[in-house]
Every structure is written in C-alpha cells, then in structure tokens.
Amino acid sequence: MPESDEPGPGPQDRGPGAGVGPGAGAGAGPVGRGLVLVVEDERNIADLQRRYLVRDGFGVHVETDGGAALAAVRRMRPAAIVLDIALPGMDGREVCRRLRAEGDWTPVLFVTARDEVTDRVLGLELGGDDYLTKPFSPQELVARVKSLLRRAAGPGQDPVLRVGRLVLDTGRRTLRVDDAPVELTTTEFNLLAFLMSRPGQVFSREQLLAQVWGYAGYRDTRVMDVYVSQLRAKLGGASPIRTVRGVGYAVADTDTVR
C-alpha cells in the first residue's frame, strides 16, 4: 500500500475552497477525481457548483466567458467541462463547436435556463454529451459529471498498468519493479499512475498539478519537479519518466522502454 505523504511544501498547503472567479482554482485535496472546468458567468451558481464538486473529490477551475474557457481547456486538459450556454460574448454552444472542430472530445455537460427541445438537440448535435436545465440540484450535477466520466473511460479498463520493468496495480495500489515491491507515497502513486496510463503523452507541470492534485492555477509548479525526482530515486534505472525540455514530463511509450 502507498505510504502517507510526508509533510512539506506543495499544492496541499493551499486550502480547499479557494476563491472563485476568472482563473480561480479550488483544491480537492491530495487525491482527487480530476479537474472539472466550470464555465459560468453567474458567480453564485459557479460557487455552488464548485463547492459540491470539490466536496466529492474533484478539482475545479472556474471561467466566466467563452474565450477564457477555450484557453483553459487547451492549457489544463480538464477531465470534464460544465458549460453554461448563455455566456457573454462567445456562448457555450460555440465553445463546444470549436473544441470539437479542434478534435478535443473532453466530455461536456451543458447547463442552461432554457428547456426547449430544439435547444437541447442543437447542443447535443454540436458535440455536447449531456444537458442540465436550471434550476437544478447540485447533487444531480455531480452525478451527471460522474456519469460522463464513466462513459468516457469505457468498459473493462485494465487496472494493471505495465511499462517497461514496472507493473502498477491501480486497484490494489501496489507497484512492482522487476517483481520486487516498491513503496510509494499516495501522491507519488497517483502521479505515476496518471503518467503510465497515458504513455507517450507529454504534460506540463501545471497540467499534472491540475490532474493529480485537482489544483488549478497553483503558481509554484516546481513542486512537481520534487515529486518526479523522488519517483526517479525510488525507481532507479527502471524509471520510464522522461523530461521534455521546456514542456514537462511524459512516460515513454512501452516500445521505447528497455
């Protein structure tokens, strides 16, 4: 089993429930379900969505207009998007249309005050995955987000990840290197599991902080370098983590690991 994380500087030093506003993030604690981007121009509604999502273990980043939402998706790669349709400037449907045109299929839950069938059909035809009408229960919002993520994950995912000499069992939360057990802290385990489940993909430090910890907008991204160094020290020559200069980190493709 993973060890407890040793105290020290890092994203967990920032308390959950950080302020909401353009570019504001909210922490979900050291172990989160991933980052949800909430795009909502009404502050009280955004705050309600954030509080319930954080309570259920998600990290949350809030934007209040369509242009900023597009930039946040490209920068942070959220697990899901809760997207209000009636936004100032670029509306939610146009945000979704542009994402899909770019080949970005991040799950989108549309939120709207209009309950006409034509509106719902148009939103879904533009690439939305689900639809929620105001007023809504925040518990239903969380349930809908969870459902989107389950559908996006697909059935029958193998809980055992193998890269090179590493075998990581996400169900039992164990790691073996050359068939010998290696103890990891909770944060180290989550970081390694995230990277091993996406071999070959390069992630910036900010993206890793958002996905592994559920923190968006955390300024001192150097803490990620500390955790990567700790992982490499424990894995030794078996470490598949590579540094991509000027970008971040990736786990090498299985075929390139010896």
Side-chain angles (χ1 to χ4, degrees):
M1 296 291 290
E3 307 163 358
S4 297
D5 282 314
E6 50 279 342
Q12 57 266 44
D13 295 334
R14 178 182 175 186
V20 174
V31 185
R33 294 176 179 268
L35 179 70
V36 176
L37 174 63
V38 170
V39 190
E40 172 60 66
D41 64 324
E42 294 186 49
R43 183 183 179 90
N44 60 331
I45 296 177
D47 186 57
L48 183 67
Q49 293 178 15
R50 179 192 62 79
R51 284 190 288 113
Y52 274 83
L53 286 164
V54 167
R55 185 181 301 175
D56 213 77
F58 291 97
V60 177
H61 182 84
V62 176
E63 294 292 354
T64 58
D65 66 80
L70 281 175
V73 173
R74 294 163 183 155
R75 186 174 74 250
M76 297 178 180
R77 298 187 191 176
I81 305 168
V82 178
L83 183 57
D84 186 38
I85 287 183
L87 294 171
M90 186 190 307
D91 69 16
R93 285 176 294 207
E94 178 61 15
V95 171
C96 184
R97 189 196 67 77
R98 293 194 187 190
L99 287 174
R100 300 317 189 220
E102 294 174 3
D104 188 319
W105 292 92
T106 304
V108 169
L109 171 62
F110 277 124
V111 175
T112 181
R114 302 181 63 174
D115 192 25
E116 296 183 14
V117 174
T118 52
D119 286 330
R120 294 200 300 272
V121 170
L122 178 58
L124 296 174
E125 286 182 344
L126 287 172
D129 298 278
D130 201 354
Y131 216 96
L132 193 58
T133 304
K134 300 176 183 177
F136 55 83
S137 159
Q139 290 94 335
E140 182 180 4
L141 173 90
V142 173
R144 295 282 188 102
V145 170
K146 288 180 180 178
S147 176
L148 284 183
L149 293 177
R150 283 195 300 271
R151 297 205 303 264
Q157 280 196 316
D158 189 352
V160 179
L161 303 173
R162 295 176 174 84
V163 174
R165 295 153 56 190
L166 277 60
V167 179
L168 186 130
D169 189 324
T170 59
R172 297 178 179 176
R173 295 188 69 82
T174 59
L175 171 68
R176 301 185 76 84
V177 178
D178 295 331
D179 208 32
V182 175
E183 293 293 325
L184 300 179
T185 68
T186 299
T187 301
E188 290 167 351
F189 187 96
N190 291 339
L191 173 58
L192 185 60
F194 181 82
L195 289 171
M196 285 181 62
S197 65
R198 299 159 177 83
Q201 294 186 43
V202 181
F203 295 92
S204 69
R205 292 164 177 82
E206 185 180 22
Q207 289 165 349
L208 289 172
L209 284 167
Q211 294 296 336
V212 177
W213 279 277
Y215 282 93
Y218 188 78
R219 292 182 179 178
D220 189 4
T221 59
R222 292 171 299 176
V223 68
M224 184 58 61
D225 300 333
V226 175
Y227 280 105
V228 170
S229 295
Q230 291 174 180
L231 267 175
R232 284 173 169 163
K234 291 185 176 183
L235 301 177
S239 174
I241 302 174
R242 62 186 179 95
T243 301
V244 181
R245 190 179 299 275
V247 183
Y249 296 103
V251 156
D253 286 311
T254 312
D255 293 342
T256 65
V257 177
R258 297 290 182 265

